[in-house]
Amino acid sequence: MIKANTVGMKPLRTQSVRITWRDRWKLYKNFRYIYLLTLPGFFYFLLFKIVPMWGLVISFQNYSPALGILHSKWVGLENFIDLFTYEYFYIMLRNTLLINLYSLVFFFPLPIVISLMLNELKHEWFKKINQSILYLPHFMSWVVVASLTFFLLSQDIGVINKLFISLGKVPVSFLTNPNLFWGLLTAQNVWKDVGWGTIIFLAAIAGVDPQLYEAAEMDGAGRIRRIWHITLPAIRPTIVILLILRLGHMADVGFEQLLLMMNPLVKNVADVFDTYAFAQGVQRGQISVGVTVGMFKGVVGLVLVIAANKIVKKLGHEGIY
């Protein structure tokens, strides 16, 4: 056997290909219909995501709608200082992070598990029925979800508490107990969106080469081993990307859900940045404060995404950029 001596060998250099504007124009021309299909999405992000960003200057002003952005008084970092020195700032930060941490730990893995279970169903009609049942709650508004929660868990008219009373037990204050509030929010998120979250993972699983399963089955690998050694490694890039994007929303909490579920007895564990921005910016007319909170959340999300992406790359996975 002849072994190649690699000592002192220089790595091969790849020649860089220069693409001219004529080549780019031919490429655009060949795929012009595909680019036309992307125009609605492009204009959506341009009009509703990019153009409004110039309004972030309001966070550095004492904004008055009557004066407008150009004539409102500039206050520099005063709004940010007021936010960071607010007496309930750390309580809002704690609530925001822990509610999202509950969601990350208990909600994020469930779509992966359910998509793996759905993929193992052999009867296609039974699989579609289960998917439809799981997807249905996603299309319900939070008003409906909150009403159903009140109907089930209310201490006065709740079905579960009526069952407790019929069994001779003391009714439980599910909706007014601060110790149960974060778990209740997580349970609502799981019921409402866990089925919808399986769509991306099922699409990733559908891209796995079936020959890999056939080869593993011929080698005697059982269902669990096929899932562990074939399916999960194949969808790992999708899991990593979604995890990074999820970390970018650690400063965001479902505002509608909290607004509907909040009551004075759980306010200490339910007050977050979104509810504070609503109270200050909309109810009290301090628009600059609301924009300041939004900008703070955006910066936190950006930092978390960049940090998570670097950690993922150091662990040997592909990041989002």
Side-chain angles (χ1 to χ4, degrees):
M1 181 181 295
I2 300 176
K3 295 183 179 180
N5 184 12
T6 60
V7 178
M9 294 179 62
K10 295 181 179 180
L12 296 176
R13 295 182 179 178
T14 58
Q15 295 181 353
S16 59
V17 180
R18 187 176 180 181
I19 301 177
T20 63
W21 282 105
R22 182 176 297 178
D23 296 331
R24 292 180 184 274
W25 174 251
K26 289 181 180 179
L27 184 64
Y28 296 149
K29 187 176 180 181
N30 292 334
F31 295 97
R32 58 186 180 276
Y33 296 113
I34 296 178
Y35 289 118
L36 286 175
L37 289 174
T38 63
L39 284 181
F42 171 77
F43 284 117
Y44 167 78
F45 282 99
L46 179 65
L47 294 176
F48 298 102
K49 300 295 182 179
I50 298 177
V51 173
M53 290 183 68
W54 73 279
L56 292 176
V57 298
I58 295 176
S59 60
F60 302 100
Q61 296 177 326
N62 184 11
Y63 177 73
S64 172
L67 298 176
I69 295 179
L70 297 178
H71 298 92
S72 295
K73 181 181 178 181
W74 287 86
V75 295
L77 299 176
E78 183 178 333
N79 291 323
F80 291 93
I81 295 173
D82 292 340
L83 174 64
F84 297 145
T85 56
Y86 180 53
E87 57 180 336
Y88 294 111
F89 173 80
Y90 291 103
I91 293 178
M92 294 189 299
L93 181 63
R94 178 203 65 183
N95 296 341
T96 302
L97 293 179
L98 287 180
I99 289 173
N100 279 292
L101 185 62
Y102 268 62
S103 179
L104 186 65
V105 173
F106 297 105
F107 173 74
F108 183 80
L110 284 178
I112 304 173
V113 176
I114 293 176
S115 61
L116 294 173
M117 295 172 64
L118 289 173
N119 186 61
E120 295 298 321
L121 295 177
K122 294 184 178 180
H123 299 287
E124 194 66 25
W125 62 270
F126 186 64
K127 179 180 178 180
K128 290 182 179 179
I129 291 175
N130 281 275
Q131 285 179 297
S132 300
I133 295 173
L134 289 170
Y135 297 163
L136 184 61
H138 173 77
F139 299 98
M140 295 183 183
S141 68
W142 278 113
V143 176
V144 176
V145 176
S147 299
L148 291 174
T149 305
F150 183 81
F151 177 72
L152 289 174
L153 302 179
S154 173
Q155 192 169 4
D156 299 328
I157 63 172
V159 175
I160 295 179
N161 275 317
K162 284 186 176 181
L163 180 61
F164 286 166
I165 294 173
S166 65
L167 296 175
K169 297 183 178 181
V170 179
V172 180
S173 55
F174 293 104
L175 303 179
T176 57
N177 189 342
N179 296 324
L180 301 177
F181 187 74
W182 292 340
L184 179 61
L185 295 180
T186 306
Q188 286 181 327
N189 286 323
V190 169
W191 181 80
K192 187 176 188 297
D193 288 326
V194 71
W196 187 256
T198 62
I199 293 177
I200 297 178
F201 295 110
L202 284 173
I205 293 173
V208 181
D209 189 355
Q211 294 182 358
L212 297 176
Y213 293 110
E214 296 174 1
E217 191 173 357
M218 292 178 62
D219 290 340
R223 181 173 296 181
I224 301 298
R225 292 182 66 86
R226 293 198 299 268
I227 293 174
W228 184 258
H229 293 287
I230 297 177
T231 309
L232 283 176
I235 66 174
R236 186 180 296 135
T238 304
I239 297 174
V240 170
I241 291 175
L242 291 179
L243 178 60
I244 294 174
L245 296 177
R246 181 66 188 84
L247 290 174
H249 290 278
M250 287 295 288
D252 287 326
V253 181
F255 168 72
E256 295 179 7
Q257 180 187 16
L258 279 172
L259 188 65
L260 292 167
M261 297 302 301
M262 185 188 297
N263 58 72
L265 296 178
V266 296
K267 183 175 175 56
N268 191 47
V269 295
D271 203 9
V272 295
F273 292 115
D274 294 289
T275 56
Y276 175 72
F278 173 76
Q280 299 294 325
V282 178
Q283 293 181 332
R284 298 183 181 179
Q286 299 179 1
I287 300 177
S288 295
V289 176
V291 177
T292 301
V293 174
M295 189 171 181
F296 168 72
K297 289 168 47 183
V299 172
V300 171
L302 178 62
V303 171
L304 289 175
V305 167
I306 294 175
N309 189 68
K310 288 186 176 181
I311 293 173
V312 164
K313 283 189 173 182
K314 286 185 178 180
L315 294 176
H317 302 287
E318 293 184 3
I320 58 177
Y321 62 89

